[in-house]
Amino acid sequence: MSSIQDLGLSETYGAFIDNAFQPVDGPTFAALHSGTGEQIARIARCGAAEVDAAVQAAAKAFPAWRATAPEERSALLLKLAAAVEADQQRLASIDSVDIGRRLFETGLDHQFAISQYRYFAAAAITHEGFGRPIPGGYMVARREPYGVCGQIIPWNVPAIMAAFKIAPAIAAGNTVVLKPDENASLSTLELCRHIAKIFPPGVINIVPGFGEEAGAALTAHPGVAKLAFTGSSEVGRIISRAGAERLVPVSLELGGKSPNIIFPDIEDIDAVVDNAMFATLYCNGQSCLAGTRLFVHDAVYDAVMDRLVAGMERVKVGAALAPDTVLSNLVSPEQGERVMNYIGIGKAEGARLMTGGQRIAVEGQAHGHFIAPTVFEADNHMRIAQEEIFGPVLSVIRWKDHDRMIEEANGVRYGLAAGLYTSNLRNAWDTAERLQAGSVWINHYFNLASGSPFGGFKESGIGSEYCHETLNMYTHLKAVTIQTRVAAPWFAPKA
Ligand code: ADP
């Protein structure tokens, strides 16, 4: 896709309700090319009225959708997977322009998304209840969908996030109202064109807009029976409170500050350093999963640090669509400022800057905030090692004592992911067992195999996505007991 004109975008987008984009007659916001700042579309800034219309559409669609055979839901999810696959290059290019990530990455996002639609197409038909005999009858435990699910997603990996939310919810027989992020709505809105051709009206509805407006209206709506959110821990708390107010279940996938641990017995230092760089820089560092605390054993510290600094300095920083780019711009100037502020905090608290730390100008991308890959030698208690930065900034922490390192690796409020590199299986297993993280990747960071549960410990979230268990998160468990006859009077029998 060479130009924005080739992306097939509309000039304006309304809310997507009942399989149709609604006319835009209220306030709108701009979708900007994140590198050049050029306006690429205007999007309806939905509020309570649009959210209400979407929830009503989803509620109306729910009885028929829940009554469909799982095989039918499965077949439609497979159709969606095929449609996204056929349109993958265009959709990935839209994300690259919208959020500033290179095409290689947004293409991978779409492959993940497609695999999610396929995974839950399969899971839908194997999501079984259970039953067992009871005296004089039988007990059946059924899984039943909640109804309308309100889902809110962030901007960093929009295609993955939309798939993570939509696929399991509708596979389980729910209907959906989803709010994309105000920084990255376009690929989800374009996904609607496929949805409209495949699903009955009202099964999947999209309400773009801001968190405090469309998002808050969705979480407060009395017609929403289940909330699911991915984003910051701060907003996760707000969503959680909204769920508590109405006593509806809430699943949350929140922030992270994941440890990535190098043991002294690694065989190929270059390979390990390359993987640790990938763990830091993937998504331009804007991933809740990023391995941003690199614990390096004293025995290999200098060798690792030398290669790490040289490797980071080799990274080509450039425009998202330039073919040789490895690291592109952050999603917005505000995000860039936030990351630069953290770099300042790191310096002020005494962390040693090993490389990077500065903004980089890229020709023709004046709006884009590009930051050189940044490595600090840090202590685990420093703010740059404790707080989620969401940018290309790595804190390297030297360790010697295994127990102390584990304590520090676990010594953050988050517990989303962890990585470790070792050639000793027992060490790998024992360490994995002691790490407080929802995913532990041994010898390959970001090893996200479809079907492996994905969720956080501690303040990183509640619930598991990406796996069969997710269908349980989107369903009630109901027990139905059957007796073959009504028992003879026994409670207050006639004398
Ligand atoms: P990030 O830190 O990744 O930008 P946020 O947690 O700020 O993530 O936002 C994630 C999603 O939550 C976005 O879709 C945003 O619009 C939404 N959001 C933000 N504030 C609220 C709120 N008060 N109520 C509901 N949704 C919100």
Side-chain angles (χ1 to χ4, degrees):
M1 300 281 160
S2 52
S3 75
I4 292 175
Q5 285 68 40
D6 296 337
L7 297 176
L9 294 168
S10 300
E11 275 176 28
T12 54
Y13 291 88
F16 178 77
I17 299 173
D18 262 338
N19 274 357
F21 286 107
Q22 304 303 299
V24 181
D25 45 20
T28 57
F29 63 99
L32 302 180
H33 184 304
S34 78
T36 63
E38 181 188 350
Q39 176 174 298
I40 41 183
R42 290 207 71 86
I43 300 171
R45 185 168 158 177
C46 294
E50 291 81 1
V51 167
D52 186 49
V55 172
Q56 286 195 33
K60 197 163 132 242
F62 176 57
W65 181 248
R66 75 169 269 178
T68 52
E71 284 74 6
E72 190 180 338
R73 302 201 287 266
S74 173
L76 298 188
L77 276 162
L78 289 176
K79 275 194 187 170
L80 184 62
V84 175
E85 194 164 49
D87 197 15
Q88 184 179 346
Q89 205 194 344
R90 186 181 74 92
L91 292 172
S93 304
I94 291 171
D95 275 341
S96 283
V97 166
D98 201 12
I99 50 178
R101 288 177 51 223
R102 61 185 170 134
L103 262 179
F104 163 74
E105 290 192 359
T106 54
L108 271 185
D109 285 3
H110 278 84
Q111 283 169 29
F112 270 113
I114 293 160
S115 79
Q116 280 296 285
Y117 296 124
R118 293 209 168 112
Y119 180 87
F120 284 104
I125 45 183
T126 57
H127 190 225
E128 287 127 5
F130 57 92
R132 69 178 172 85
I134 54 174
Y138 203 79
M139 186 279 294
V140 182
R142 297 157 44 88
R143 287 268 170 203
E144 294 188 357
Y146 281 110
V148 179
C149 297
Q151 306 180 313
I152 297 178
I153 58 173
W155 45 261
N156 58 343
V157 284
I160 298 181
M161 287 296 112
F164 262 46
K165 294 287 178 277
I166 293 170
I170 64 168
N174 300 281
T175 54
V176 159
V177 177
L178 179 139
K179 192 196 87 64
D181 193 283
E182 49 272 41
N183 288 293
S185 308
L186 289 177
S187 66
T188 310
L189 289 164
E190 283 293 320
L191 178 72
C192 295
R193 298 193 195 282
H194 299 299
I195 289 170
K197 289 186 200 140
I198 296 170
F199 290 92
V203 172
I204 303 165
N205 307 276
I206 309 292
V207 282
F210 292 177
E212 301 76 14
E213 298 168 5
L218 185 56
T219 56
H221 198 292
V224 172
K226 147 102 191 139
L227 291 169
F229 170 78
T230 297
S232 62
S233 299
E234 289 64 34
V235 177
R237 283 193 173 79
I238 296 173
I239 308 281
S240 215
R241 269 184 232 119
E245 206 53 55
R246 298 188 26 252
L247 289 176
V248 296
V250 180
S251 47
L252 303 169
E253 197 263 282
L254 307 173
K257 190 75 189 178
S258 299
N260 197 14
I261 304 161
I262 301 182
F263 283 89
D265 65 352
I266 48 169
E267 281 166 9
D268 183 343
I269 296 192
D270 288 318
V272 168
V273 168
D274 186 71
N275 200 250
M277 286 171 55
F278 169 58
T280 310
L281 299 184
Y282 187 70
C283 225
N284 300 331
Q286 303 164 122
S287 166
C288 50
L289 292 170
T292 47
R293 290 183 299 140
L294 187 65
F295 287 85
V296 183
H297 191 272
D298 185 57
V300 288
Y301 190 90
D302 291 341
V304 166
M305 185 60 99
D306 286 351
R307 286 168 173 80
L308 183 64
V309 168
M312 290 295 200
E313 287 173 358
R314 263 198 320 271
V315 164
K316 173 87 177 91
V317 179
L321 293 182
D324 55 348
T325 291
V326 174
L327 186 72
S328 45
N329 58 286
L330 300 182
V331 70
S332 63
E334 294 74 34
Q335 185 62 17
E337 290 305 330
R338 191 171 173 270
V339 174
M340 288 308 292
N341 186 45
Y342 267 111
I343 290 172
I345 290 171
K347 289 178 187 163
E349 61 190 343
R352 188 165 156 221
L353 183 64
M354 306 301 290
T355 185
Q358 79 280 17
R359 194 174 165 186
I360 292 182
V362 172
E363 206 190 323
Q365 308 283 305
H367 183 76
H369 207 119
F370 299 80
I371 295 179
T374 299
V375 177
F376 278 109
E377 193 171 59
D379 289 333
N380 195 52
H381 65 79
M382 292 177 172
R383 278 185 66 191
I384 54 162
Q386 289 288 315
E387 296 174 21
E388 190 174 43
I389 298 176
F390 243 55
V393 182
L394 177 65
S395 291
V396 181
I397 299 161
R398 189 191 289 262
W399 70 276
K400 260 190 196 166
D401 178 77
H402 191 226
D403 288 341
R404 176 137 189 252
M405 178 274 290
I406 295 282
E407 210 174 286
E408 290 197 342
N410 289 333
V412 284
R413 62 189 179 116
Y414 299 111
L416 195 53
L420 62 96
Y421 307 91
T422 177
S423 18
N424 179 319
L425 179 60
R426 191 193 309 148
N427 178 41
W429 188 257
D430 290 349
T431 307
E433 202 171 83
R434 295 175 67 187
L435 289 169
Q436 297 164 348
S439 300
V440 180
W441 295 307
I442 298 166
N443 291 326
H444 186 84
Y445 207 85
F446 281 123
N447 207 352
L448 286 159
S450 214
S452 48
F454 172 73
F457 282 27
K458 302 194 284 189
E459 291 185 30
S460 287
I462 300 171
S464 270
E465 296 189 298
Y466 207 47
C467 61
H468 217 274
E469 176 65 23
T470 316
L471 294 176
N472 293 343
M473 215 165 77
Y474 278 103
T475 45
H476 298 278
L477 190 57
K478 177 194 271 183
V480 180
T481 61
I482 307 163
Q483 297 287 331
T484 50
R485 65 172 63 84
V486 180
W490 59 272
F491 178 64
K494 291 180 199 152

